[in-house]
Amino acid sequence: MSNPTKEPASKQFTSTEATSSSHVYPNTEKRVVSDVYFGQTIDDPYRWLEDDTSEETAEWVDKQNAVTFDYLDTIPYRDELRARIAHAQDYKKSSQPFVRGEYTYYYKNDGLQNHSVLYRVKEGKGQAEEVFLDPNTFSEDGTTSLGSVSFSKDHSLVAYTISEGGSDWRKIFVINSETKEQLEPEIVDAKFTDVSWLGSKGFYYSSYDKPDGSQLSARTDQHKLYYHELGTSQDKDKVIFGNAEGEQHRYVTGYTTDDDDYLIILGQESTSGNRLFYIDLTSASTLEEAQPFETLIDHVDSDTYVIDNQGDTFILYTNLDAPNGKVASFNTRTKQWQDIISEKPQPLEISTGGGYLFAHYMVDVVSKIQQFDYQGQLIRDIQLPGEGTASGLRGKKEHKQLYYTFTNYVTPPTILSFDVDAGESNVYQKSEAPFDADLYESKQVFYTSKDGTKVPVIISYRKGISLDGSNPTILYGYGGFNVSLTPSFSGTVASWLELGGVFAVPNLRGGGEYGKDWHKGGTQQQKQNVFDDFIAAAEFLIEQGYTSSETLAIRGGSNGGLLVGACMTQRPDLFKVALPAVGVLDMLRYHTFTSGEGWAYDFGTSAQSQDMFEYLLGYSPVHNVESVSYPATLVTTADHDDRVVPAHSYKFISELQDKHQGESPVMIRIDVNAGHGAGMPLNKVIDLTADMYAFTLFNMGIQQL
């Protein structure tokens, strides 16, 4: 075994022909349940695996894991890979600092801690840092993670959330910020929530009524906004929004303005578009006497939210009649709208700090930032260290020193401080990642998709590689929900590059990289565009000599898991390895689990119309597995995933194991006591990454590193 701390050679794979072998999978019984959609009968033989509370399902999970881990144990360099990946993560990592009261707070991980620790330092020279919250102490096995941390307006109190076992359900704890003493029993069963304080008297949070049946998979539909007054029990919490007619929404968010004058309420039916309401809190001595909410946006045709206020004037982001986004003001007294920052050709994100607006634009997926005053006057273009992703530049109005992070695929993150008045950036903290960026390059090129659309892809690799089609390559994608894949450094990706691999990320339609039209171009009955873009990226990499069908793996998670599942069933000949993670794979039934119906803006549903049903049936991975040879496949999921329930993955692998005609393994790796991915302890991340890389390389014929 080679030393994982040694700098890898530029070419270090030893390949032979992969040995064919038979794989014996657990018998998955077919119990056909049939559904009728618009007169067409669809069989669902593995419906029983949807019951995540049954002993039968648990036994099936154990048997599948036994087969998978027995196979992974045979890969001779699996332990070496884990050591390499752990080494790539073993360095001090810190977040951008933020100031609350007399303290500066920041998250820090000393290296291989499962979770980053929240520290603070008091103002003044020589003050020692102290641990404020350490999620590594929340559970013995590291499966309980820290979520959001919210300070009261006077900074004397803190409400923080935790997730247990990776679940989206949260508990909320309230502590004294000085003594860190817990002040009252925790709030339980909160979900998809922020915590927003009203002064220091209480706070707003969101949740659903507890569902009937499984808490992990049963449908959750009606979201509600609650107010919790400190010193009272949770059963006394008042429903502020979500009970009355006209208030029903799948997702509800509430937050107060910094001056506590207004409560802002967003109501969403899906993951795109929201109604916008507000409550004037200034004319009431108690919450019960507050004025009823007023409607600012009465439809879900835009994403619109309040980012700040100046007295009775709201400052808002909106993409209403501006697909790429703009900043506008709305006066609550005169009801007048006015543009502040007009729409530009590039998609906009906005942040505030130091009394300024910071417009973050994506120009061909690369960050550009401009600073404006609140009247929309351009102050300056902010000079960034290079081409990549800059994030941050947010803070309170009184904070004149802000922070941002700059990174790309081969540049470990650097934190910079920014003087909002002078416009000067200075390095605040450099990364300590054990990665020599000078040995690698990352370049963006454009390729042509099936319908002629130009799509960007960023390809990262070690300098000097041969374009002879022999390079093990991971093609990673997402393509949905207006999510933009901007270049950022990852220790796990760095490990792949150090091994001599190529890592390529195309910016597919369905994402937000080119604004709302780019997003819409990959939704509902245009979803095939996303798959075509991904397939075209694979063909481009092969044509250019980066890789071949014998050395190409595809990877994606969640909506990206759907992407991998659809592409491997449509073009099984094109890829050597497929790695669908926590994927949405049963497109006829996804909307019947947890809050899945909220994804209908992107996917449509099988109940929507006959045309939509037929379109979904045409690409749904579970329903399009045939008796052909598929790539070596490692499906990954977790038994506590209550976002994309693991039944998607269970049913998909059952179909593959039943019908796959080739010799390549088709297996599933199921993490126990883990969820959709957020808050996963680092040791589990390292284990999962090592297993994916080992499976990938071994099935490309790599016998030793």
Side-chain angles (χ1 to χ4, degrees), residues 530-560:
V530 185
F531 313 141
D532 289 342
D533 289 353
F534 201 56
I535 289 168
E539 293 173 334
F540 174 80
L541 292 172
I542 293 169
E543 290 166 3
Q544 297 298 310
Y546 288 100
T547 189
S548 69
S549 288
E550 293 301 305
T551 55
L552 177 59
I554 51 174
R555 180 182 171 195
S558 197
N559 173 72

Side-chain angles (χ1 to χ4, degrees), residues 242-264:
N243 261 350
E245 185 177 350
E247 296 180 7
Q248 289 82 10
H249 292 82
R250 195 160 284 109
Y251 311 108
V252 173
T253 301
Y255 56 96
T256 54
T257 53
D258 281 347
D259 57 13
D260 273 344
D261 285 353
Y262 294 95
L263 172 66
I264 311 300

Side-chain angles (χ1 to χ4, degrees), residues 316-332:
L316 307 101
Y317 166 90
T318 184
N319 57 18
L320 181 63
D321 299 323
N324 289 329
K326 66 180 181 179
V327 178
S329 65
F330 173 81
N331 187 281
T332 60

